[in-house]
């Protein structure tokens, strides 16, 4: 076999260099991994996220609240007590828990339900009460300074049943013992073992992925110091990195084994694999990067960090597949099928005897039958998408074993379904002709609005130019009726209440933030999808030199993503599929379909390329 033609490609020349200088290449990767880890320990991640929607009313309310109520800069949790609240033995336990919470670091104050001014913190039947614990910083800052902040707080107050009373903590969740990344890695190893039938062949994609993951994840954490990045972005980047890293290595190793079986030498097999599968991997990685960068079109600051960390993971995995893997194959040589596992794996070079070759013949022999059957299956799977419900999950969607879920249920039982999602009316009285009258009108109008269960007394700021009014809906935060209530207050009730007084009222709070973000993303999602599809079409047209092939790839991927949305919607509706994977009934945050599209569209293009 002549090596001249494959070596004309840049990717082949790089791969052949890595093969011939494999000791230096592997050493370089080890040194880079060690250096990045050392740098990462000196520059640890600083995760933070602003989930406010640009230009939304809830964002304006948050900004006004931050400027006029400086004492409310930190976050808070509730200590929820269920029992005979007035019993002396129960009160002594409640007081002890409150004292413990007050002594914790960064706790700026605790409001006891037994205080004279805290009568509203006890249910009417005197069976449920709560204490509000105020922190001096937001939770993301506290978690950056102490990753085990939540765990340590829960360990100190010790939530759970105790004699005469049950105490639970809202908001916080217990830390997972085994990460989803490790579970994914274990499943990937099992699948690779079944596919290759060789422990050595199975280990190569895993080793390559671990190198890329170690570097990419650490770089993503370091980048979070410069770019606003939510904590969950690390999990997203890790799962994407593992997916593409193992996927790309699988392509290359499969072609390498086929070339060896065809009689080529290890070096020739390496060049052939990189000249075919390696080139496809390069363009597939480019498509994934384009899809992920499409998130920048959404205009949400926290998504910039998600995109950056994910792109770093993909680029690192892509580099490892095109340089580290050829070097490792140089050490393995013809021994790639050693350490075989009985009853697993079949030869990848069976040619016309392979199952998938025979299946392709069946499909091509009856194309319209296959098309109709496949379209019908996709349609059935996609149908649950019609009932997809957007909204931010809250503590009510946590597992029933979580203390935050039990606190949510106790508060619902004692104070009503809407208590866990109050609406925050921020009344700006600057410039009002009658500030007191305007505030009274707002409170009365909110109290008389259908769907409102309770309106708390107004809370003025120290300067008296702004007030907060907590409005508790009758329905749960995620109900459609609550969203309708928010729009009704904004569109008609509150404007009519303030009239021409000069006062301004903004509706904020977690529930309003969720509604605003869902509306915002729903409006911008077509722009995001259109930009990703268009750029991917241009890239694939460049690769295939055929607009028709690129168009077919785009359409097929859109159909498969719609089916994936249908499966997701079905799983979160409390169905058997959700119970199988321990997924509670929950709405879907509006940004999840967008992130799913970026990931799935990019990854599914691998198989088109």
């Amino acid at each position: 076999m002549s090596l001249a033609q494959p070596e004309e490609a840049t990717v082949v020349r790089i791969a052949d260099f890595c093969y011939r200088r494999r000791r230096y290449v592997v050493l370089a990767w080890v040194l880079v991994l060690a250096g990045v880890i050392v740098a990462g320990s000196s520059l640890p991640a600083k995760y933070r996220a602003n989930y406010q929607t640009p230009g939304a009313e809830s964002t304006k309310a948050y900004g006004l609240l931050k400027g006029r109520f400086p004492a409310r800069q930190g976050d808070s949790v509730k200590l929820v007590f269920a029992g005979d609240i007035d019993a002396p033995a129960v009160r002594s336990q409640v007081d002890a828990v409150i004292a413990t919470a007050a002594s914790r670091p960064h706790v700026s104050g605790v409001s006891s339900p037994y205080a004279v001014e805290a009568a509203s913190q006890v249910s009417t039947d005197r069976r449920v009460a709560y204490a509000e614990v105020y922190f001096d910083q937001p939770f993301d800052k506290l978690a950056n300074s102490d990753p085990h902040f939540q765990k340590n707080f829960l360990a100190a107050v010790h939530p759970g049943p105790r004699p005469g009373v049950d105490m639970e903590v809202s908001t916080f969740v217990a830390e997972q013992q085994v990460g989803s990344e490790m579970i994914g890695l274990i499943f990937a190893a099992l699948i690779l073992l079944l596919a290759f039938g060789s422990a050595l062949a199975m280990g190569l994609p895993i080793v390559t992925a671990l190198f890329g993951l170690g570097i990419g994840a650490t770089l993503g954490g370091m980048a979070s110091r410069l770019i606003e990045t939510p904590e969950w972005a690390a999990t997203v980047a890790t799962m994407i990195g593992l997916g593409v890293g193992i996927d790309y290595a699988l392509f290359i190793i499969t072609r390498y084994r086929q070339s060896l079986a065809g009689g080529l030498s290890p070096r020739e097999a390496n060049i052939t694999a990189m000249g075919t599968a390696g080139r496809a991997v390069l363009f597939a990685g480019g498509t994934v990067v384009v899809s992920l960068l499409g998130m920048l079109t959404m205009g949400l600051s926290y998504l910039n960090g998600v995109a950056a960390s994910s792109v770093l993971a993909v680029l690192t995995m892509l580099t490892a597949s095109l340089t580290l893997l050829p070097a490792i194959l140089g050490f393995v040589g013809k021994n790639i099928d050693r350490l075989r596992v009985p009853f697993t794996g079949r030869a990848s070079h069976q040619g016309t005897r392979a199952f998938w070759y025979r299946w392709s013949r069946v499909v091509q022999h009856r194309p319209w039958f296959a098309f109709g059957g496949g379209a019908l299956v996709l349609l059935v799977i996609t149908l649950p998408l019609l009932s997809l419900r957007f909204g931010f999950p809250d503590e009510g969607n946590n597992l029933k074993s979580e203390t935050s879920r039990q606190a949510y249920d106790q508060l619902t039982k004692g104070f009503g379904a809407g208590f866990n999602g109050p609406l925050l009316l921020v009344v700006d009285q600057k410039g009002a002709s009658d500030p007191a009258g305007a505030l009274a009108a707002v409170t009365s109008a909110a109290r008389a609005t259908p769907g409102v269960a309770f309106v708390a007394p107004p809370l003025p700021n120290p300067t008296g130019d702004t007030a907060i009014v907590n409005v508790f809906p009758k329905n749960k935060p995620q109900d459609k009726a609550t969203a309708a209530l928010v729009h009704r207050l904004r569109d008609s009730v509150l404007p009519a209440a303030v009239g021409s007084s000069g006062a301004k009222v903004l509706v904020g709070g977690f529930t309003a933030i969720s509604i605003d973000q869902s509306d915002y993303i729903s409006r911008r999602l077509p722009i995001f999808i259109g930009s990703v599809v268009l750029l991917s079409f241009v890239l694939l047209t460049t690769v295939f030199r055929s607009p028709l092939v690129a168009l077919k790839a785009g359409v097929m991927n859109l159909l498969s993503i719609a089916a994936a949305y249908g499966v997701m919607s079905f799983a979160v509706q409390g169905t058997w599929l959700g119970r199988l994977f321990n997924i509670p009934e929950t709405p879907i945050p509006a940004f999840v379909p967008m992130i799913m599209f970026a990931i799935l569209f990019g990854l599914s293009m691998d198989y088109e390329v």
Side-chain angles (χ1 to χ4, degrees), residues 39-395:
S41 63
S42 302
L43 299 170
K46 282 190 175 181
Y47 295 117
R48 60 204 181 280
N50 177 13
Y51 292 105
Q52 305 295 330
T53 304
E57 183 170 323
S58 59
T59 302
K60 297 175 182 177
Y62 178 81
L64 188 61
L65 186 67
K66 187 176 181 180
R68 306 279 180 88
F69 288 83
R72 297 174 65 97
Q73 295 293 314
D75 289 326
S76 65
V77 299
K78 290 180 173 65
L79 306 179
V80 183
F81 305 92
D84 186 357
I85 301 302
D86 296 321
V90 171
R91 177 163 185 169
S92 65
Q93 293 192 63
V94 171
D95 289 339
V97 172
I98 290 176
T100 300
S103 66
R104 297 298 302 167
H106 298 289
V107 172
S108 58
V110 182
S111 64
S112 170
Y114 297 112
V116 176
E117 67 276 8
S120 61
Q121 294 177 214
V122 183
S123 63
T124 54
D125 62 0
R126 313 294 294 179
R127 299 294 301 176
V128 180
Y130 69 90
E132 195 85 30
V133 181
Y134 300 96
F135 294 89
D136 58 6
Q137 297 179 41
F139 291 146
D140 55 356
K141 290 186 178 180
L142 293 174
N144 282 327
S145 59
D146 180 8
H148 302 294
F149 158 70
Q150 291 191 23
K151 177 183 177 182
N152 294 336
F153 183 87
L154 291 176
V157 299
H158 191 60
R162 56 194 71 196
V165 65
D166 180 21
M167 194 281 290
E168 306 295 344
V169 182
S170 71
T171 308
F172 289 170
V173 295
E175 296 182 350
Q176 293 183 347
Q177 299 299 316
V178 179
S180 56
E181 301 90 343
M182 182 59 65
I183 297 174
L185 195 61
I186 293 172
F187 272 100
L190 291 175
I191 293 172
L192 289 171
L193 188 61
L194 291 174
F196 287 142
S198 163
L200 183 57
M202 174 272 291
L204 296 185
I206 300 296
V207 170
T208 305
L210 288 177
F211 264 91
L213 182 62
I215 296 174
T218 307
L219 290 177
M222 294 167 64
S224 69
R225 301 175 66 89
L226 303 175
I227 305 172
E228 179 185 325
T229 307
E231 186 176 8
W232 50 266
T235 301
V236 173
T238 298
M239 299 307 292
I240 295 175
L242 280 176
V244 300
I246 294 175
D247 204 23
Y248 296 163
L250 178 62
F251 287 163
I252 295 171
I253 291 172
T254 298
R255 183 55 60 91
Y256 178 79
R257 296 173 74 217
Q258 291 173 342
S259 300
L260 285 179
L264 299 183
S265 68
R267 184 187 175 196
E268 291 173 330
N270 184 66
I271 290 175
T272 301
M274 299 307 298
T276 52
R279 184 171 180 270
V281 161
L282 178 62
F283 283 103
T287 307
V288 175
V289 170
V290 167
S291 298
L292 293 172
L293 290 178
M295 286 190 281
L296 301 179
T297 64
M298 297 302 295
L300 296 172
S301 58
Y302 67 89
L303 288 180
N304 298 341
V306 177
S309 57
S310 299
V311 167
L312 284 172
V314 171
L315 291 177
T316 307
M317 290 295 187
L318 185 60
T319 305
S321 299
L322 298 178
T323 58
L324 177 61
L325 183 57
I328 296 177
L329 289 175
F331 288 105
V332 174
K334 293 185 176 182
N335 298 317
I336 193 167
D337 286 325
R338 294 189 63 180
L339 303 178
R340 294 196 62 83
V341 178
F343 311 112
T344 61
R346 299 185 65 181
S348 59
H349 53 279
Q350 290 179 318
T352 58
R353 294 184 293 112
F355 168 78
W356 292 112
Y357 176 86
R358 297 197 304 270
W359 174 252
S360 70
R361 298 294 94 189
V362 172
V363 172
Q364 291 181 352
H365 187 62
R366 295 285 189 273
W368 288 108
F369 179 81
F371 174 81
L376 180 62
V377 171
L378 282 177
L379 178 62
V380 172
I381 295 176
T382 306
L383 282 178
L385 178 60
L386 299 176
S387 57
L388 181 63
R389 183 165 58 98
F390 287 136
F392 275 60
D394 55 22
E395 286 90 344

Side-chain angles (χ1 to χ4, degrees), residues 313-598:
V314 171
L315 291 177
T316 307
M317 290 295 187
L318 185 60
T319 305
S321 299
L322 298 178
T323 58
L324 177 61
L325 183 57
I328 296 177
L329 289 175
F331 288 105
V332 174
K334 293 185 176 182
N335 298 317
I336 193 167
D337 286 325
R338 294 189 63 180
L339 303 178
R340 294 196 62 83
V341 178
F343 311 112
T344 61
R346 299 185 65 181
S348 59
H349 53 279
Q350 290 179 318
T352 58
R353 294 184 293 112
F355 168 78
W356 292 112
Y357 176 86
R358 297 197 304 270
W359 174 252
S360 70
R361 298 294 94 189
V362 172
V363 172
Q364 291 181 352
H365 187 62
R366 295 285 189 273
W368 288 108
F369 179 81
F371 174 81
L376 180 62
V377 171
L378 282 177
L379 178 62
V380 172
I381 295 176
T382 306
L383 282 178
L385 178 60
L386 299 176
S387 57
L388 181 63
R389 183 165 58 98
F390 287 136
F392 275 60
D394 55 22
E395 286 90 344
N397 301 115
N398 290 345
L399 297 176
K400 292 183 178 180
S401 58
E402 288 286 356
T403 181
S404 55
R405 168 61 185 274
Q406 296 178 40
Y408 181 99
D409 292 340
Q410 292 289 0
L411 290 172
T412 299
K413 180 180 178 181
F415 299 93
F419 184 82
N420 288 287
L423 305 177
L424 198 64
L425 307 187
V426 184
V427 185
D428 184 1
Q429 299 167 283
K430 273 189 175 181
S433 56
D434 182 10
L439 182 59
V442 167
T443 304
S444 299
R447 189 175 290 117
T449 303
V452 172
F454 174 72
V455 177
L459 176 65
N461 69 337
T463 59
D465 58 8
T466 309
I468 296 173
V469 180
N470 277 296
V471 176
F472 296 91
K474 289 182 178 179
N475 302 98
K476 294 190 299 183
Q478 299 159 359
D479 281 357
K480 292 181 179 179
T482 303
L485 173 62
V486 170
H487 291 301
R488 187 162 59 251
L489 288 171
R490 287 174 171 174
D491 297 340
S492 58
V493 174
L494 297 178
V498 296
S500 58
S501 65
K504 299 177 182 178
V505 186
L506 301 172
V507 181
F510 176 81
T511 302
I513 290 173
S514 172
I515 294 169
D516 288 341
Q517 181 133 138
S518 297
D519 293 343
Y520 176 86
I521 292 180
S522 298
R523 291 194 304 269
R524 295 189 66 91
L525 195 58
I527 300 175
F528 162 71
I529 293 177
S531 62
V532 170
V533 172
L534 178 61
L535 290 175
S536 299
F537 175 80
V538 173
L539 179 62
L540 291 179
T541 301
T542 303
V543 176
F544 295 130
R545 303 185 186 279
S546 170
L548 184 60
V549 174
L551 178 63
K552 183 270 301 179
V555 171
M556 291 299 297
N557 285 331
L558 288 175
L559 291 175
S560 63
I561 291 172
Y565 285 168
V567 173
M568 174 186 67
S569 179
F570 183 73
V572 299
Q573 292 176 15
T575 59
W576 61 266
L577 182 61
R579 292 192 295 271
L580 179 64
F581 293 98
N582 205 23
I583 300 174
E585 184 176 359
T586 177
I588 296 296
F591 62 77
V592 169
M594 179 265 303
I595 294 178
M596 278 185 62
F597 182 88

